Amino acid sequence: MPEDVGRTGEIEAPVRKRRPPLVTRDQVIEKAYHLVDDEGPQGLSMRRLAGALHVSLPTVYTAIDSREALVERLLDRLVDEIATDLALDAGATDRTHASAEDELLQRGRALLDWARRRPNLTAFLLAEEIGAGVAERAVRAAGEARRASAAALVRGVVGPGAGAVDPVVAVMVVVAEGRAALWLARQKRLAGVGAERWADLGCRNVAFALRALAEAAVSAPD
């Protein structure tokens, strides 16, 4: 007689295979990115997203908690995309003061060029609030080459006090100034100012802000 006859209580139930999710978080973020790229900020509706993914609205929320969480992930992606487009992973690590400001100017031009090519994504950036969390994640996620290049650029702009500039604060300064330049450049009343002037103003403002932060950090009481 087989050993397991009459001892059904000891027989293990078959393991049920877990079904894969109908949609993953990465798929939601990817689809949302393309909707915003195609339609602008108005494309980021959770119902619109569910329809584009061919799933129910509750299914979308199983992949990502909320619209706010989705916006944060999209902002993270855009900050990284712009950093890549501006070639922040490349560059010399021994910049002089003059060459650092020239590089800031080149990146200002590149940012305005990116905005011209991606008007709907630019509109999304201007429509959403960008907080310190985006800057913190950008610093944590940056590769070694990008961190080294950014640190060298700040040293070139700020000088001896560069080490006093918190990298998260530095990212916040650059993001804030970039958004301001993009917003101003899109104003019809200022359309005649020209991209070169916006890039120059952005370069000067970033440099001034970083130096002021370094001075304040050095002179702050312990």
Side-chain angles (χ1 to χ4, degrees):
M1 178 181 294
E3 292 183 2
D4 59 356
V5 174
R7 294 190 288 176
T8 55
E10 298 179 9
I11 299 176
E12 294 184 2
V15 178
R16 293 184 179 180
K17 292 184 178 180
R18 180 176 295 179
R19 293 181 179 180
L22 294 176
V23 64
T24 65
R25 189 179 75 162
D26 287 345
Q27 288 171 331
V28 169
I29 295 170
E30 183 71 15
K31 181 61 68 174
Y33 174 90
H34 288 292
L35 284 175
V36 173
D37 194 17
D38 291 340
E39 304 175 17
Q42 64 272 18
L44 195 60
S45 155
M46 299 303 275
R47 290 190 181 277
R48 175 83 178 81
L49 185 56
L53 289 165
H54 307 292
V55 297
S56 68
L57 185 58
T59 298
V60 173
Y61 282 110
T62 63
I64 197 151
D65 294 337
S66 63
R67 185 186 185 280
E68 290 73 21
L70 177 58
V71 167
E72 287 185 353
R73 299 287 82 77
L74 285 175
L75 290 175
D76 291 345
R77 173 166 174 169
L78 286 175
V79 168
D80 181 70
E81 178 180 312
I82 292 171
T84 300
D85 200 77
L86 271 56
L88 298 193
D89 295 329
T93 57
D94 57 349
R95 299 177 180 88
T96 64
H97 178 84
S99 67
E101 292 206 0
D102 183 62
E103 184 175 340
L104 277 179
L105 184 58
Q106 291 177 16
R107 290 179 178 180
R109 296 183 188 123
L111 175 62
L112 292 172
D113 181 63
W114 180 89
R116 281 193 294 268
R117 290 184 283 108
R118 313 303 293 271
N120 288 333
L121 293 175
T122 300
F124 172 75
L125 278 175
L126 296 176
E128 298 295 339
E129 194 70 32
I130 301 179
V134 174
E136 291 174 357
R137 289 190 295 273
V139 170
R140 289 200 303 268
E144 184 177 347
R146 184 176 297 178
R147 288 196 300 270
S149 178
L153 180 58
V154 172
R155 284 197 303 272
V157 172
V158 176
V165 179
D166 186 315
V168 171
V169 176
V171 171
M172 292 176 67
V173 166
V174 174
V175 169
E177 174 54 38
R179 291 181 77 237
L182 291 175
W183 184 83
L184 286 167
R186 290 167 65 92
Q187 302 309 302
K188 292 181 179 179
R189 292 183 180 182
L190 300 171
V193 173
E196 186 67 21
R197 183 58 175 161
W198 292 126
D200 181 64
L201 287 171
C203 166
R204 292 173 184 273
N205 288 343
V206 168
F208 175 82
L210 292 178
R211 290 174 191 142
L213 286 168
E215 291 173 5
V218 170
S219 60
D222 294 335

